[in-house]
Amino acid sequence: KLIFNFIWAGKPPKIKRNTIIGEKKDGGLKMCDFKIMEKALKIAWVNRIQNDSQASWKIIPNQLLHKHGGLAFLTKCNFATSTLDLDDKLPTFYKKVLDYWCDFKISTGIDSKTNPENEIVWNNRKILVGKKPVFYQTWYDAGIIKISDILNQNQTFLKWHEFAMKFNLNVPFTTYYGLVNAIPKNWKANLTNPIPNVTHDTTANNLRTSSIYSSLLNTVFVPPTAETKILRHGFTENTIKKVYLMPFKVTNEVKIIMFQYKVIHNVLPTRATLYRDGISESPLCNLCNTEEQTLHHLLINCTLILNFWILFQDWWHQKTNETITLSTSHILYGWHDRTKHWQVLNYSLLIAKYRIFCASLRGDILDFQNFLQFITAKLDILKEIATAKNELPKFYRTWAFLL
């Protein structure tokens, strides 16, 4: 909460929290969500729980969960903590690990991607006897783990006497058939029609904190509200990622990146929005003083801006001998045709838009020569950085034609 209050200076957020925490390619800023991170860190403990080490810290949870087969076995089951009779003495840490692991498996569909015959019978949230999952220690000790263990060669359930003979168990037929009858009907129906190419892996060997965090993030991420508007400019759900990533690829300057981020999300302050919020005395553009200054007007439609972009196109042709025609999409979201100098062109467009915004914000006269001086100063800084990093050859390869 403190971080997001800092971002918006304590004011109502302009972009949804569940958007900002998303990946950059999806329109977010990859801002850490500490609640999700806490869950991811605890879920990652399942790796340690399920390994074969005899670590002393496992003694207490295994003892307190012995009626469920121990901690490691329980994490492999299709359980729900709400239906388990957990010992009150079980430390809160392990309760949270179980809670988060259960929610994670349900939200990501891990336990639903298996054939019914591979379902673990014990502690199963779908196999309830007396509205509770079961764990029969003697059956478990006899090697009964999955539904497949009590099936015959025809994929039908063993008769009671066949079961007793196979596992050398003396159990009441009511107990056996009570368990068989508790198995969901749709699972039974699918026993003879297994799902092809499905493996059942109840371990967490391949799960890392980063992958868990990403999976959890996907369940709460909200696409940017501005995405519909961007798609109307001819982008698709795949190519729109280029729009979101462009400012991060062409510059490392945070101020410029965040400026373009606000343009993309349509939250850059203009005279119209400032007037709406009671900050500006007039919604009129202070560059032309004729029309309301929306984002579209500020960067594209203003008469002074139209002339600015004509000068920009001429300047670019003079420098590169390339003829470009800037559309609304190019100005707002960048040049995504992979021409020879596309990266430098996008950087120049960012700087140009930023200078337009600053001129409007400060009430300065919009002068194309000021833009040229500004970008020259930026290139001098980039050159100094390249010199410090011993990367001058790379700098000249990229920027020499603008110097």
Side-chain angles (χ1 to χ4, degrees):
K1 185 176 179 180
L2 289 173
I3 292 176
F4 285 91
N5 281 340
F6 172 77
I7 292 174
W8 301 112
K11 299 176 183 177
K14 304 292 185 183
I15 303 171
K16 294 176 182 177
R17 177 194 181 104
N18 285 4
T19 297
I20 291 181
I21 62 176
E23 298 288 339
K24 294 174 183 176
K25 65 181 177 63
D26 297 320
L29 286 176
K30 207 173 182 180
M31 189 71 68
C32 180
D33 185 299
F34 290 101
K35 289 183 179 179
I36 295 178
M37 180 56 73
E38 187 243 346
K39 289 183 179 181
L41 289 168
K42 283 186 169 63
I43 291 171
W45 265 83
V46 177
N47 285 313
R48 301 181 182 91
I49 289 169
Q50 291 184 350
N51 66 31
D52 296 328
S53 73
Q54 301 298 316
S56 58
W57 59 266
K58 294 183 178 182
I59 296 174
I60 293 176
N62 279 331
Q63 179 61 33
L64 295 174
L65 292 169
H66 73 280
K67 62 182 179 181
H68 298 292
L71 180 59
F73 177 71
L74 179 56
T75 60
K76 297 177 183 179
C77 299
N78 186 4
F79 69 94
T81 51
S82 59
T83 61
L84 294 176
D85 184 20
L86 297 177
D87 195 305
D88 292 337
K89 296 179 181 178
L90 184 67
T92 302
F93 174 82
Y94 297 109
K95 289 180 180 178
K96 284 192 173 183
V97 169
L98 292 173
D99 274 334
Y100 295 158
W101 178 232
C102 171
D103 292 342
F104 179 76
K105 291 198 293 179
I106 293 173
S107 65
T108 56
I110 291 177
D111 282 330
S112 63
K113 299 174 183 177
T114 180
N115 289 316
E117 65 181 73
N118 290 322
E119 282 281 349
I120 294 177
V121 175
W122 313 122
N123 307 305
N124 199 303
R125 61 191 175 91
K126 297 291 184 69
I127 303 176
L128 305 178
V129 178
K131 298 182 179 181
K132 289 285 186 180
V134 295
F135 178 79
Y136 302 149
Q137 185 71 54
T138 54
W139 294 29
Y140 176 77
D141 292 340
I144 301 170
I145 307 292
K146 301 177 180 179
I147 291 178
S148 59
D149 294 325
I150 54 176
L151 298 176
N152 59 28
Q153 294 179 346
N154 297 321
Q155 292 296 94
T156 58
F157 288 98
L158 297 168
K159 302 297 184 182
W160 169 58
H161 67 278
E162 294 174 335
F163 169 81
M165 289 180 61
K166 179 178 179 180
F167 295 103
N168 194 27
L169 289 173
N170 183 20
V171 298
F173 74 91
T174 52
T175 303
Y176 174 68
Y177 285 115
L179 179 66
V180 172
N181 290 335
I183 296 172
K185 293 181 180 180
N186 62 314
W187 288 6
K188 293 176 181 177
N190 290 329
L191 285 173
T192 54
N193 298 297
I195 305 171
N197 301 322
V198 172
T199 57
H200 185 53
D201 185 7
T202 55
T203 66
N205 294 333
N206 298 321
L207 290 177
R208 299 293 179 265
T209 303
S210 58
S211 62
I212 297 168
Y213 182 89
S214 295
S215 296
L216 291 173
L217 184 62
N218 289 335
T219 64
V220 299
F221 174 72
V222 176
T225 54
E227 192 160 288
T228 303
K229 181 179 179 181
I230 300 172
L231 292 172
R232 287 201 294 266
H233 283 271
F235 295 98
T236 65
E237 291 184 359
N238 289 326
T239 59
I240 199 172
K241 298 181 188 303
K242 295 180 180 179
V243 174
Y244 294 138
L245 288 174
M246 184 272 288
F248 299 97
K249 287 186 174 182
V250 303
T251 182
N252 292 323
E253 192 173 347
V254 176
K255 185 184 292 185
I256 302 299
I257 290 173
M258 292 311 300
F259 168 78
Q260 178 61 17
Y261 188 78
K262 291 176 183 178
V263 171
I264 291 171
H265 289 268
N266 198 32
V267 296
L268 188 73
T270 62
R271 298 270 288 185
T273 58
L274 294 175
Y275 178 75
R276 182 194 63 199
D277 295 338
I279 299 174
S280 175
E281 295 180 355
S282 171
L284 292 180
C285 174
N286 59 343
L287 296 176
C288 66
N289 291 312
T290 57
E291 295 184 37
E292 186 178 273
Q293 191 192 70
T294 61
L295 179 63
H296 204 271
H297 176 85
L298 171 64
L299 297 180
I300 300 165
N301 284 344
C302 177
T303 53
L304 295 179
I305 302 305
L306 290 172
N307 185 59
F308 181 93
W309 291 123
I310 292 172
L311 293 173
F312 183 95
Q313 291 170 158
D314 292 342
W315 168 75
W316 187 257
H317 178 73
Q318 177 188 347
K319 291 290 185 180
T320 65
N321 205 30
E322 294 176 357
T323 300
I324 60 171
T325 301
L326 295 176
S327 65
T328 298
S329 175
H330 292 141
I331 295 171
L332 289 177
Y333 307 121
W335 187 279
H336 297 288
D337 298 328
R338 287 299 180 110
T339 54
K340 182 179 180 180
H341 303 297
W342 74 273
Q343 188 170 358
V344 178
L345 176 56
N346 276 316
Y347 180 77
S348 301
L349 286 170
L350 289 180
I351 297 301
K353 285 185 292 185
Y354 183 70
R355 289 304 298 168
I356 292 170
F357 173 71
C358 290
S360 172
L361 187 66
R362 298 167 185 169
D364 295 339
I365 297 175
L366 183 61
D367 186 351
F368 192 75
Q369 290 301 317
N370 287 340
F371 157 71
L372 295 180
Q373 293 172 7
F374 188 74
I375 199 167
T376 300
K378 289 290 184 183
L379 292 178
D380 288 341
I381 295 172
L382 292 176
K383 183 178 179 181
E384 290 295 328
I385 294 172
T387 302
K389 293 183 175 181
N390 294 319
E391 295 178 352
L392 267 181
K394 180 180 178 181
F395 169 81
Y396 282 116
R397 284 196 302 271
T398 305
W399 303 98
F401 67 94
L402 287 186
L403 298 175

